[in-house]
Each structure stands twice: as structure tokens, then as C-alpha cells.
Amino acid sequence: MEITQQGNSVLINGVRDLDLRETLDCGQSFRWVEREDGSFHGVAFNKAVDVSLNGDILKIDNCTLEDFKNIWENYFDLTLDYGKIRDDISQIHPILKEAASYAPGIRILRQEPFEALCTFIISQNNNIKRIKGIVQRLCENFGEKINDTDYAFPTIEKLSSLCEEDLAPLRAGFRNRYLIDGARKVASGEVDLEKCRTLPYEEARKELMKIVGVGVKVADCTLLFGMHRVESFPLDVWMKRAMKVLFPELTPEDFGEYAGIAQQYIFHYSRMHPDLLTEKN
DNA sequence: ACCCAGGAAATTC
DNA sequence: GAATTTCATGGG
């Protein structure tokens, strides 16, 4: 990877295994918007950027070399060799091999832990389109304004200072209570998100499940997308169907130390081929 | 009107 | 304890 600065942009040459749409619009982050020209606009770590990819050249606008090294290289997980991981996990099962080669540009973003926690609390019994709307309103109402059009994700302190009724503008329904409980327990230290990066997996899960409204699935997604615990294997409705129909002889443990990456390949593949999961198949 | 949505809590059996 | 119902909201 060769990195150069060009005006207000940073160019990264030689980026492999990255497709912006597959990665930013596959249900792991809910804050990226695709533009007409195929670029993506989004906010993370209090910075708003435009990202585009031409061949193997990644361009990040409104970005300094420092921001790239401190934030975006990590955010897009560019130091992990997904080609190698794909080769390895492809040996687990032929259908996984097919799913991985179907969308080889999926990467697991390294999002902010608190943002991942909140967005996956919001995700429960909900659809991706509405999740995006609620998250957008959450940022507009309670996040710091960082330019004409963009808002940072709300801080832990800000959200923990609110009550359920304050969140009414989100129209998130019963999830308001869960968001407040999560913010308060994280703010008080009762739930330690940083510890979840290194705790044994089951203990990290339990730590997050102290929050009302966080069960196994939301905990697994928070660990995978917020703490980069790539051994996590979240089972949502799609994945449960996929396991039953496509991998009846396998258990989550069979997917190994990169199960979370395999999960994303399978999740995306299943959503793109819903007919594969109907009863007769 | 009915059913579902990257689930989890509350209630009932 | 395991199975079922409820929880707000919006879209198909």
C-alpha cells in the first residue's frame, strides 16, 4: 500500500479485497450514503469524509495523512489480509467458498464501540431502512454538529444525561428505554466497553448483556462490529435460516477464528439470494 | 387488514 | 423452564 496526500485528499494505492457498497451498505454500519458517482459519504470518529474507489486506488476526501493513519486505515481494516482469510475459510465448506467469492470486497469495519452498541440495539425487530432513519435522527438531535450537513454520533455523556421521553423524536419505540439504559451503564462504568475487546468471549457477551435490551444477538454484533471480535458469529433471522438450509451439518464453532467474516459473506449472500432459503431448498 | 423487520422482555403454559 | 406474546414504528 502506497499512501500519498493530494490537496485535501489521501490516496491509497494497492487496496485489495475492498468493495465500498459491499462493505458500507451490508448492514454493519448505518451511517453511509452512496452518491450518484458511486462514492460514499459518511461520519465516523467525529470526522466526515467522502470515499471512492477506482480499481485498487482508494481516495478519501476531507482527510489528512494523520487522519488516515489514526482513523481510516483502521476503520476500513486495511491491515488485515482478507484474501488470505478468504482462502482459509473457503476450505470449511463449498457453499461458504461460493459466498465468499460472491462478495470478496466485504470487510469488517472497526466502528466505535458505543455507536455499534446503540445501532444494534436499534436494529432489533427492525429493518435496515428504518434503522438508518432512527440513527440519523439520533445524530441530528443529540450529536455535535461538525459541518453544514453532518453530525457526530452522540457521546456517551450526552445520551446518559437524557431520559426516555427525550428520545421520542427518534420514533424508535420501545428501544428508547434500551438506549438510555445502555448509555447510563456505560457512562457509570457498570459496563466497560474497552474491556470487551480483551475479555474471554463469553464474559464479554455477559458484560454487554447487563444492559436491558441487549441479548445474545445484539451483544455478538456489538463485539464483531464495535470491538472487532472477528470470532463472533451473530445469528439473526437470516443467518438462522442460512444455517438450517445451507449448512445443516455445521455449528457456529465450525467456522473458526474468523467466523465473523464468514458470517458476513453468508449474510450478504443469503440476502442476495433469498430463493435459496425457501423451504424446498 | 395483515405480515415482516440483522430481538429481547414479559407473560403464560 | 420452555414456548408464546408483546413491545413501537414503518413499509410492502
Side-chain angles (χ1 to χ4, degrees), chain A residues 43-89:
Chain A
V43 179
F45 295 90
N46 301 329
K47 303 276 185 179
V49 290
D50 285 286
V51 182
S52 56
L53 189 62
N54 287 322
D56 67 349
I57 302 175
L58 179 66
K59 182 158 77 86
I60 307 179
D61 296 329
N62 191 29
C63 178
T64 63
L65 282 176
E66 194 182 1
D67 279 352
F68 176 72
K69 285 312 266 185
N70 291 339
I71 299 175
W72 304 109
E73 180 175 43
N74 193 40
Y75 185 83
F76 286 102
D77 205 15
L78 296 179
T79 54
L80 196 57
D81 187 348
Y82 279 73
K84 165 88 167 96
I85 293 169
R86 224 171 37 251
D87 286 346
D88 287 351
I89 65 177

